Amino acid sequence: MDIQYIGEALGFGKFGNLLIALSFSGAILAAISYFFSFKRPSENKAWQKLARSAFFIHSISVIGIFALLYYLIFNHRFEYYYVWQHSSTNLPWEYIFASFWEGQEGSFLLWTFWHIVLAWFIIKRGGNWEAPVMVTVSLVQAFLMSMVLGVTILGYKLGTNPFVLLREHPDMANLPFIKMADYLSRIDDGRGLNPLLQNYWMVIHPPVLFLGFAATLIPFAFAMAGMMTKRLKEWTTPALSWSFFGVMTLGTGILMGAAWAYEALSFGGFWAWDPVENASLVPWLTLVGAAHVMLIHKKNGSTLMSSLLLVIATFILILYSTFLTRSGILGDTSVHAFTDLGMTGQLLVYMLFFVVQAGYLIFINRKEFPKGQAEDPIYSREFWMFIGMLVLVISGLQITFTTSIPVINKVFGTNMAPPADVIAHYNSWQIPFAIIIAILIGVGQYFKYKKTAPADFWKKVSMPLIFAVIISAVALYFIKFDNVQYMLLFFSCMFALLANLDYSLRVLKGNFDFTGGSVAHIGIALILLGSLLSNGKSQVISQNLLNIDLGKDFPNNENIMLTKGDTLQMGEYLITYKGKEKIGVNVFYEIEYLKPDYHGNNHEYAFTLKPRVQLNPRMGNVSEPDTKHFLSRDIYTHVTYADLDGLEKPEGDGEYAEAKQHSMSVGDTISTSNALVYLKGLSQDLDRNQMGLQPNDIAVGAVVEVIDINKKKHEALPLFIIKNNTLFAKDVFVDELGLKMAFTKIDPDSGKFELTIAEKKNNKREFIIMKAVIFPQINVLWSGCILLILGSVMAIRKRMRDNARRNIEEN
């Protein structure tokens, strides 16, 4: 019997599904129409008009989906599964905004949206490139929209639909409350945003990263267009600016992710060689290589095939990274990956379609590509730019192979194990590549295109080389790296920095139009140098010096235990845990730092850090760090353990809890919540007269030493008395620690003694375990990030102005 559900707004979902269908069909129609637009020149205008109309319908539909889904999210329409799964009523507006792209469907739509934005630049300014380029762009859009269709064809489900109803979703359909007509009234709230993602970086990082993903499509589409139209050489000219745009946006997105990790994640750093991080980095490496070999092609007409293959590889690697992160295959090796939503086959088809398309076009044009070009002389910029491209490709291959171990195991049935120490494994491979790249970006610009006189090259490069050797020798004497690779990387970064600074000032005379490359290269040198200094010389200062083993999960050489109100030494600071404060879903832990004064005799207030734990009963609590930023270093702290029970409970009233019995021998130690209790021995040297004992009475004292968390010792002497054949156990108190103990039994056969110890109900002193790391010169890295982006913008500006000038001359 049909249930008449109460409160559902079904019209929104129906309209959303209509928009999805329109956007999907519009993209297909646009691809077909654009194809005929350049294939049938006599009918070009008619096909072009139809193609633009179809793509306009596609664009408006995608924007409509965005607007509709946002309306449902902000109005908490939890009858829709996507809204319920990714948002909640207690989220701030910015996280509700960002919850759109937490799920697969939303991130695919975000990716699609950026393609639309870039595509309309092609439509408006592409000229005769519009039709062949837009064929590939429209096909990609059709594939992306298929990811949100959510229809079943011949038993196979095509995509996952963001407008599916909560009661129709497979995870919910069989739950009892769904059978109730008023089930919506029983839903208090949505599941909300993953606590790891509740950070302002979630608002800005994914859009920038997906813009970077989208930007890699345009050079690929130009390459496909060049082969489709037999303009095998011309496509690199318009694609070059787009390649540098992709380098900038994708690089910015990756760097934002690194900043997010450093600020909000508790693994302690900005890069962990996580598979999803790697999957974004490798396409950036190949795109950097592609942009540079396209520069070579622009100058001398060579490296056409290298440009083509690298542009294709970049886009395919973006699709491969999508497969890795969304197929669920990295579920056991990455904290970033999505779970498998049944789209593995669809993602493979998506990727293989464009692999086959590119391969087919290369095959049918194989005889048209230039052959037998002369090799570039070793003293030429082209030669060393090509070598740099090869190094980037080899670096990317190593990262891809290790990252793909789960895929290799699944496809070939092997059982290769990922590296046990991921960071050490990748560093051992990638540092040599980084050394070579740094040296190449130092020497590269001193070479001229086609040929350079050796004497002229060595004359120009000698000054930065000499200064780099001197500065590196002095700096390394004080830094004292114990790793040869680190020393070589330091020197190569210093050389790259000085060489590009010298080139931009002495050779280019600071000409803004031509210094973009040098500024970007300086940025790369600083990123590598900052990474080296901040990680290679990082120092854990949170060492636990108390006689308490914190356990294998909290090594004493990396963690410090802080009891509320106590002050302990940590590095050069004295630190005090002042207490906690719960604000919303966050519990902040206030750590006050004191530093030695000018004379070094006393300590004065320095700063306060408030690392936090974000409470999330559904997904698990998340520790988020707090960092004190200095010009030359950061002090990075996060809570590794805190007792979160009883956050809302008032403190105890001072009554004692039930006493616990402890069987001990002389020399034994037991622990209470705030102290160690050590049985030093027994004593009969007692004032029997004061106790009113007769000669036949027995009195023995247990000599107890109580050591608190600050190593302060307290003495106690509980008594075991037998008077008139009656046992008396007189309580003694250690008031400072809230302990009450009694000596209750002697077992002469085993030599054991029984102590009963009771603690006050409010005796459990609040404590946390915390980790603190100093990252020296981390600002060198962030400065490099800014310069890399700035240099890329300058280079893009230069290419765009060159293209505009060329178009004016041609017209």
Side-chain angles (χ1 to χ4, degrees):
M1 186 174 64
D2 292 337
I3 301 174
Q4 299 298 316
Y5 290 102
I6 301 171
E8 290 184 331
L10 301 182
F12 294 121
K14 293 177 181 178
F15 184 53
N17 286 320
L18 174 62
L19 292 175
I20 289 174
L22 281 173
S23 64
F24 177 70
S25 56
I28 293 177
L29 179 58
I32 295 171
S33 302
Y34 271 122
F35 179 79
F36 285 117
S37 176
F38 77 86
K39 279 295 185 180
R40 298 180 179 179
S42 61
E43 305 172 16
N44 172 270
K45 294 296 183 182
W47 282 112
Q48 185 186 62
K49 183 177 181 180
L50 177 60
R52 287 182 173 180
S53 298
F55 198 82
F56 178 78
I57 291 172
H58 164 75
S59 303
I60 291 298
S61 298
V62 171
I63 294 171
I65 294 168
F66 256 76
L68 180 58
L69 200 50
Y70 265 126
Y71 176 83
L72 297 176
I73 290 172
F74 274 98
N75 285 278
H76 310 301
R77 301 303 312 193
F78 294 135
E79 62 264 43
Y80 293 96
Y81 182 80
Y82 193 84
V83 177
W84 172 82
Q85 186 184 34
H86 299 291
S87 68
S88 61
T89 57
N90 61 355
L91 286 175
W93 73 266
E94 63 270 22
Y95 296 152
I96 295 179
F97 179 79
S99 66
F100 181 98
W101 44 74
E102 183 197 26
Q104 292 217 40
E105 298 90 331
S107 59
F108 276 127
L109 287 167
L110 178 62
W111 194 358
T112 307
F113 170 78
W114 282 128
H115 281 161
I116 290 171
V117 173
L118 300 181
W120 280 101
F121 277 95
I122 302 297
I123 293 172
K124 293 297 182 181
R125 300 184 179 182
N128 57 13
W129 283 107
E130 177 190 344
V133 168
M134 287 299 298
V135 169
T136 301
V137 172
S138 299
L139 283 173
V140 169
Q141 291 296 84
F143 271 102
L144 282 174
M145 289 310 302
S146 74
M147 298 296 172
V148 297
L149 278 176
V151 298
T152 302
I153 301 175
L154 299 176
Y156 182 81
K157 187 179 180 183
L158 200 63
T160 58
N161 191 307
F163 298 107
V164 67
L165 292 171
L166 179 74
R167 58 181 169 84
E168 293 177 347
H169 193 276
D171 292 345
M172 311 293 289
N174 295 321
L175 296 180
F177 84 102
I178 292 296
K179 308 301 180 184
M180 302 176 184
D182 63 342
Y183 79 95
L184 277 178
S185 66
R186 302 170 187 272
I187 299 176
D188 295 327
D189 206 352
R191 295 182 67 186
L193 193 65
N194 187 317
L196 282 172
L197 304 179
Q198 293 186 32
N199 184 281
Y200 68 90
W201 284 110
M202 178 62 181
V203 182
I204 56 178
H205 164 62
V208 175
L209 185 66
F210 276 99
L211 176 58
F213 287 172
T216 65
L217 169 62
I218 308 303
F220 173 78
F222 271 105
M224 297 299 99
M227 290 190 286
M228 285 190 287
T229 59
K230 304 298 182 181
R231 288 184 282 177
L232 299 179
K233 296 181 180 180
E234 293 91 331
W235 69 268
T236 59
T237 300
L240 184 57
S241 296
W242 286 106
S243 296
F244 277 109
F245 177 74
V247 168
M248 181 192 70
T249 51
L250 183 55
T252 302
I254 293 170
L255 293 173
M256 281 184 168
W260 184 359
Y262 181 73
E263 180 176 312
L265 298 183
S266 58
F267 61 74
F270 51 85
W271 195 262
W273 292 109
D274 182 88
V276 174
E277 294 174 333
N278 299 345
S280 300
L281 175 63
V282 174
W284 184 80
L285 294 175
T286 57
L287 187 58
V288 170
H292 284 78
V293 291
M294 277 193 274
L295 282 174
I296 298 173
H297 177 72
K298 178 184 175 183
K299 292 295 182 180
N300 64 13
S302 65
T303 65
L304 176 62
M305 183 56 73
S306 298
S307 302
L308 184 69
L309 292 176
L310 284 172
V311 164
I312 293 171
T314 297
F315 181 69
I316 298 302
L317 283 166
I318 289 292
L319 300 186
Y320 181 60
S321 73
T322 305
F323 167 76
L324 286 178
T325 56
R326 297 167 189 273
S327 64
I329 203 164
L330 295 181
D332 295 331
T333 57
S334 174
V335 299
H336 296 85
F338 289 90
T339 57
D340 185 9
L341 293 184
M343 293 194 295
T344 302
Q346 194 174 344
L347 290 167
L348 280 173
V349 170
Y350 180 15
M351 180 172 62
L352 292 175
F353 176 87
F354 290 102
V355 171
V356 171
Q357 180 203 22
Y360 172 74
L361 289 174
I362 291 173
F363 178 77
I364 64 174
N365 286 285
R366 66 190 184 281
K367 296 180 180 179
E368 308 297 327
F369 290 108
K371 295 182 177 63
Q373 290 184 316
E375 293 184 1
D376 296 314
I378 192 171
Y379 277 91
S380 69
R381 185 177 293 189
E382 296 95 317
F383 178 85
W384 292 107
M385 287 173 69
F386 190 82
I387 294 299
M389 178 273 292
L390 291 178
V391 175
L392 291 174
V393 169
I394 296 170
S395 169
L397 287 173
Q398 187 277 320
I399 296 171
T400 301
F401 175 80
T402 305
T403 304
S404 301
I405 285 177
V407 180
I408 296 170
N409 287 339
K410 190 163 186 175
V411 173
F412 297 102
T414 55
N415 194 29
M416 287 191 295
D421 188 338
V422 174
I423 293 177
H425 170 81
Y426 280 107
N427 286 350
S428 66
W429 280 94
Q430 294 300 315
I431 288 178
F433 295 136
I435 293 170
I436 297 171
I437 289 297
I439 292 174
L440 290 177
I441 65 175
V443 302
Q445 295 192 93
Y446 287 104
F447 290 104
K448 297 178 181 178
Y449 285 104
K450 297 183 179 179
K451 191 175 182 180
T452 307
D456 186 46
F457 165 76
W458 286 109
K459 179 181 178 181
K460 291 179 178 177
V461 82
S462 59
M463 184 181 295
L465 181 60
I466 291 170
F467 274 100
V469 170
I470 295 172
I471 293 174
S472 298
V474 173
L476 290 172
Y477 175 80
F478 291 101
I479 295 175
K480 300 187 186 306
F481 281 124
D482 56 2
N483 185 308
V484 174
Q485 285 190 351
Y486 289 0
M487 298 179 190
L488 291 175
L489 181 58
F490 184 92
F491 162 74
S492 62
C493 291
M494 189 58 60
F495 171 65
L497 171 64
L498 294 174
N500 280 277
L501 187 61
D502 172 73
Y503 184 83
S504 62
L505 296 177
R506 187 160 58 96
V507 179
L508 296 178
K509 309 297 184 183
N511 190 321
F512 185 84
D513 286 337
F514 294 93
T515 54
S518 295
V519 173
H521 290 164
I522 291 172
I524 292 173
L526 290 175
I527 288 173
L528 294 175
L529 185 62
S531 301
L532 172 65
L533 293 173
S534 61
N535 280 300
K537 300 304 292 185
S538 63
Q539 179 188 3
V540 178
I541 57 174
S542 51
Q543 297 172 352
N544 191 50
L545 303 178
L546 302 176
N547 291 326
I548 298 174
D549 185 3
L550 300 179
K552 64 178 182 178
D553 294 330
F554 311 103
N556 275 12
N557 62 343
E558 293 185 358
N559 294 269
I560 187 168
M561 182 176 176
L562 296 172
T563 303
K564 183 177 178 180
D566 288 341
T567 300
L568 298 177
Q569 187 81 35
M570 189 176 76
E572 65 177 307
Y573 296 96
L574 292 178
I575 60 171
T576 303
Y577 171 41
K578 306 292 286 186
K580 63 178 180 283
E581 181 183 14
K582 185 174 182 292
I583 302 176
V585 298
N586 295 304
V587 181
F588 292 88
Y589 296 87
E590 183 179 353
I591 315 296
E592 186 177 270
Y593 283 70
L594 306 174
K595 65 179 180 180
D597 62 16
Y598 180 78
H599 301 287
N601 299 323
N602 300 302
H603 282 75
E604 59 187 12
Y605 174 79
F607 56 88
T608 296
L609 289 178
K610 293 185 178 182
R612 62 175 173 163
V613 173
Q614 187 181 122
L615 304 177
N616 192 299
R618 179 173 65 87
M619 299 180 184
N621 301 325
V622 177
S623 176
E624 296 193 23
D626 193 14
T627 303
K628 178 65 177 178
H629 302 286
F630 296 96
L631 185 62
S632 62
R633 62 176 179 167
D634 279 3
I635 298 180
Y636 172 101
T637 66
H638 74 276
V639 174
T640 53
Y641 174 82
D643 186 358
L644 297 171
D645 293 333
L647 284 172
E648 308 295 341
K649 297 178 182 178
E651 294 186 358
D653 56 7
E655 295 181 358
Y656 282 93
E658 183 178 352
K660 295 182 179 180
Q661 297 177 341
H662 302 273
S663 181
M664 305 176 66
S665 299
V666 172
D668 285 352
T669 301
I670 61 171
S671 62
T672 67
S673 65
N674 59 358
L676 298 176
V677 178
Y678 171 54
L679 180 57
K680 294 178 67 175
L682 301 178
S683 174
Q684 291 182 309
D685 186 14
L686 306 172
D687 189 342
R688 297 173 63 87
N689 292 330
Q690 184 180 1
M691 292 184 283
L693 298 179
Q694 300 298 319
N696 293 329
D697 294 336
I698 299 173
V700 180
V703 181
V704 177
E705 186 176 77
V706 183
I707 308 169
D708 67 22
I709 200 167
N710 293 317
K711 298 185 180 181
K712 183 179 179 180
K713 296 179 179 179
H714 310 260
E715 298 290 341
L717 188 69
L719 301 177
F720 178 88
I721 301 173
I722 299 178
K723 184 177 181 180
N724 298 325
N725 295 319
T726 302
L727 174 63
F728 296 92
K730 185 177 181 181
D731 291 332
V732 295
F733 298 87
V734 184
D735 292 328
E736 189 174 344
L737 297 176
L739 298 178
K740 178 177 68 174
M741 61 183 68
F743 186 5
T744 54
K745 185 176 180 181
I746 298 175
D747 186 346
D749 294 330
S750 63
K752 295 281 188 179
F753 310 96
E754 185 177 271
L755 290 181
T756 62
I757 301 176
E759 300 186 56
K760 286 186 176 179
K761 290 181 178 179
N762 63 349
N763 197 43
K764 192 175 182 181
R765 296 186 68 192
E766 183 186 328
F767 75 94
I768 61 171
I769 299 175
M770 186 187 80
K771 183 174 182 178
V773 186
I774 292 179
F775 288 106
Q777 307 304 332
I778 189 72
N779 286 329
V780 173
L781 183 145
W782 305 128
S783 300
C785 295
I786 295 171
L787 289 178
L788 174 59
I789 296 169
L790 176 62
S792 299
V793 171
M794 294 167 64
I796 293 167
R797 176 178 175 272
K798 172 70 165 55
R799 302 300 163 196
M800 291 178 66
R801 292 178 66 181
D802 288 347
N803 288 344
R805 189 181 302 113
R806 187 180 298 106
N807 291 336
I808 292 173
E809 292 172 356
E810 290 175 354
N811 295 330

